[in-house]
């Protein structure tokens, strides 16, 4: 079901790994199954740090067929997300006129739809979740079902040759073979194509002790230095780096072709120098800080569930990480509220905790805010609820 990694995915080093996090053997974070359905198994959740290029990566790669079959993750239709799209769209428009856009990991087409509504002329998506690609195609957004491999890169090229922008939002760290990814990027990019890669930023993960970003889908915790090591000897170079608050702190890494002859923005050396000063030290303390948070939430929930009904809010992958790290069962967290219809009626992976409609919140006295990345929006939406949100 999984294989152990032997080499650094970015710089190729074989033995520069330090173990910086170990959450034990865990269920797959998005494996929300129906009651009675068998789960897709468990795998180690351990992070190794490359002292050569500063990439942190999981010690194992779970078979993507298992990880992404019937994938329930749908990009949140939240105002927070729309606000982020507006900022990202603005950042792209400063670089070029984005008429033709190719999105890798386009999910159900939410972002591509946004692009079309804001002036893009033609878009293509590629997504491995067939159920989501189908939804996008039904909405008229041309989406190739599958991973970004050479055959799908060719298919994209047949639709339009040389997009103005290639976007990959929160997908790059799900990919195992980065060298092949860059080779296929070379296939789809013309000389002036802008490549926009958005990932959770490892420095935010570290500074805010967001250990709940660590799950089997997130194979890597990407630094700019690691990205630079990956691009060494390829046709692409770092072009501009920008931080955004979405998903607990993300970074947009823009790339351009070396032969486009564009000078990299000052943000590139700035981010690289800042990371070099801090990242090793921060990873060295990350595990202890994470377990402090885990123990704290366990104490809070144990105390509150003696006083009233405790539920969770947001059946995200993050919730699975928290729940299994804390060892919560239904007697601690009675249910998780989530607006996503596809998740309702299913069970939180590794537990007997059911996902229920957001309306169920009103039956609880306390709610652990697992979707803390949408905290403001969720608190506003539920201002009339008399209970108390809990966080660690
Ligand atoms: P994500 O952080 O992986 O996008 O997951 C957030 C989850 O929270 C997702 O399952 C949708 C859910 N959610 C709600 O139920 N209500 C809301 O208002 C928001 C913003 C998210
Ligand atoms: Zn490395």
């Amino acid at each position: 079901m999984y294989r152990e990694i032997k080499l650094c995915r970015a710089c190729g080093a074989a033995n520069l790994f330090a173990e910086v996090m170990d959450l034990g053997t865990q269920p797959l974070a998005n494996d929300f199954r129906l009651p009675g359905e068998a789960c897709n198994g468990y795998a180690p959740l351990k992070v190794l740090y490359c002292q050569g290029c500063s990439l942190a990566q999981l010690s194992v790669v779970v078979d993507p067929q298992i990880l992404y079959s019937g994938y329930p993750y749908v990009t949140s239709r939240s105002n927070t997300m729309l606000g982020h799209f507006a900022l990202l769209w603005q950042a792209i428009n400063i670089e070029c006129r984005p008429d033709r856009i190719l999105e890798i990991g386009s999910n159900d087409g939410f972002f591509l739809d946004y692009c079309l509504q804001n002036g893009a002329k033609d878009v293509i998506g590629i997504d491995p979740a067939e159920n989501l690609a189908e939804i996008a195609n039904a909405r008229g957004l041309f989406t190739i079902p599958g991973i970004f491999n050479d055959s799908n890169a060719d298919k994209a090229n047949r639709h339009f040759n040389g997009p103005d922008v290639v976007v990959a939002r929160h997908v790059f760290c799900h990919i195992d073979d980065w060298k092949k990814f860059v080779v296929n990027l070379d296939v789809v990019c013309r000389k002036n194509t802008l490549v926009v890669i958005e990932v959770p930023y490892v420095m935010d993960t570290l500074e805010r002790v967001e250990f709940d970003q660590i799950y089997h889908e997130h194979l890597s915790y990407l630094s700019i230095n690691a990205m630079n090591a990956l691009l060494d000897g390829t046709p692409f170079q770092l072009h501009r780096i920008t931080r955004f608050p979405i998903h607990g702190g993300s970074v947009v890494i823009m790339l351009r072709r070396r032969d486009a002859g564009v000078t990299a923005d000052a943000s590139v050396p700035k981010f690289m120098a800042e990371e070099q000063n801090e990242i090793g030290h921060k990873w060295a303390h990350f595990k202890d800080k994470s377990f402090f948070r885990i123990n704290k939430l366990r104490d809070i929930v144990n105390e509150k569930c003696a006083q009233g009904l405790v539920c969770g809010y947001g059946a995200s992958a993050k919730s699975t990480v928290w729940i299994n790290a804390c060892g919560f069962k239904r007697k601690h967290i009675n249910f998780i509220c989530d607006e996503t219809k596809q998740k309702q009626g299913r069970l939180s992976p590794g537990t007997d905790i059911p996902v229920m409609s957001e309306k169920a919140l009103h039956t609880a006295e306390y709610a652990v805010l697992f979707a803390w990345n949408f905290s403001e929006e969720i608190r506003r939406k539920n201002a009339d609820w008399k209970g108390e949100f809990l966080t660690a």
Side-chain angles (χ1 to χ4, degrees):
M1 143 182 208
Y2 60 83
R3 64 168 188 85
E4 291 195 11
I5 61 147
K6 299 276 189 287
L7 302 176
C8 173
R9 184 171 289 125
C11 76
N15 52 10
L16 299 173
F17 294 136
E19 188 189 303
V20 285
M21 187 60 181
D22 188 358
L23 285 161
T25 300
Q26 293 291 351
L28 309 181
N30 274 308
D31 187 17
F32 288 86
R33 71 213 184 281
L34 291 168
E37 226 174 40
C39 83
N40 276 326
Y42 290 70
L45 205 47
K46 193 188 280 187
V47 180
L48 306 177
Y49 176 75
C50 173
Q51 281 143 337
C53 74
S54 86
L55 180 69
Q57 56 204 313
L58 292 188
S59 66
V60 300
V61 178
V62 174
D63 181 354
Q65 295 282 4
I66 296 172
L67 214 45
Y68 298 109
S69 63
Y71 196 49
Y73 183 83
V74 181
T75 311
S76 291
R77 254 71 179 154
S78 61
N79 291 330
T80 313
M81 193 58 78
L82 282 172
H84 174 63
F85 285 177
L87 293 176
L88 183 59
W89 186 244
Q90 200 174 19
I92 291 171
N93 275 270
I94 289 171
E95 290 289 335
C96 64
R97 203 178 126 169
D99 281 344
R100 296 183 306 170
I101 301 177
L102 167 64
E103 186 177 14
I104 300 164
S106 50
N107 201 267
D108 66 349
F110 188 31
F111 180 66
L112 288 179
D113 219 5
Y114 181 92
C115 297
L116 284 174
Q117 281 171 29
N118 285 277
K121 304 251 179 340
D122 198 1
V123 298
I124 312 177
I126 302 182
D127 200 283
E130 285 178 19
N131 52 332
L132 298 181
E134 216 169 279
I135 295 172
N137 278 313
R139 286 164 57 213
L141 298 159
F142 176 61
T143 303
I144 301 166
I147 58 168
F148 181 54
N149 56 16
D150 32 359
S151 116
N152 288 331
D154 280 342
K155 263 189 209 157
N157 269 352
R158 281 201 291 278
H159 186 83
F160 56 58
N161 208 321
D164 301 303
V165 186
V166 174
V167 181
R169 297 193 54 251
H170 295 273
V171 64
F172 190 70
C173 291
H174 296 230
I175 292 168
D176 181 19
D177 194 338
W178 280 349
K179 304 259 181 233
K180 253 193 215 148
F181 180 91
V182 178
V183 167
N184 288 321
L185 211 49
D186 190 21
V187 172
V188 293
C189 289
R190 64 184 166 81
K191 194 170 168 187
N192 291 312
T193 299
L194 176 73
V195 180
V196 178
I197 295 176
E198 181 180 316
V199 295
Y201 188 33
V202 67
M203 296 306 278
D204 286 303
T205 304
L206 290 168
E207 277 156 21
R208 304 182 201 177
V209 198
E210 292 165 354
F211 72 90
D212 55 357
Q213 295 279 6
I214 299 172
Y215 46 91
H216 296 107
E217 287 154 38
H218 288 169
L219 298 176
S220 303
Y221 305 87
L222 183 63
S223 64
I224 307 306
N225 282 280
M227 189 63 156
N228 193 51
L230 173 72
L231 296 178
D232 190 32
T234 73
F236 297 92
Q237 64 180 28
L238 294 171
H239 174 65
R240 184 190 295 276
I241 317 294
T242 317
R243 282 173 103 154
F244 291 94
I246 196 76
H247 284 312
S250 298
V251 67
V252 167
I253 306 173
M254 290 183 175
L255 314 180
R256 283 199 179 272
R257 277 188 178 281
R258 293 183 195 275
D259 64 5
V262 183
T263 312
D265 182 70
S267 54
V268 171
K270 180 172 161 276
F271 271 76
M272 287 181 68
E274 278 171 12
E275 283 180 0
Q276 282 158 13
N277 283 334
E278 296 179 17
I279 193 166
H281 175 78
K282 283 200 156 59
W283 269 117
H285 291 88
F286 184 73
K287 189 172 167 185
D288 284 349
K289 289 185 179 175
S290 299
F291 279 97
F292 181 81
R293 294 191 67 196
I294 289 165
N295 292 331
K296 194 162 161 192
L297 185 67
R298 195 188 288 126
D299 290 347
I300 293 171
V301 169
N302 276 328
E303 186 198 321
K304 297 298 185 190
C305 67
Q307 295 168 19
L309 190 76
V310 180
C311 72
Y313 199 107
S316 54
K318 295 181 182 72
S319 75
T320 306
V321 182
W322 268 109
I323 285 170
N324 287 285
C326 292
F328 291 143
K329 298 289 174 209
R330 193 159 192 194
K331 64 180 178 193
H332 307 104
I333 298 205
N334 201 264
F335 57 88
I336 307 175
C337 312
D338 200 293
E339 288 176 25
T340 319
K341 293 273 183 294
Q342 294 98 314
K343 290 183 185 174
Q344 293 169 7
R346 293 178 176 266
L347 302 174
S348 172
T351 76
D352 54 353
I353 304 171
V355 181
M356 292 169 67
S357 135
E358 71 284 4
K359 296 188 186 82
L361 178 68
H362 290 274
T363 65
E365 273 83 36
Y366 303 98
V368 181
L369 190 47
F370 291 121
W372 51 264
N373 44 327
F374 297 108
S375 171
E376 224 175 276
E377 188 164 349
I378 290 170
R379 285 174 194 272
R380 203 179 325 118
K381 232 181 234 179
N382 296 292
D384 63 334
W385 174 53
K386 301 283 184 294
E388 183 191 339
F389 280 111
L390 308 173
T391 55

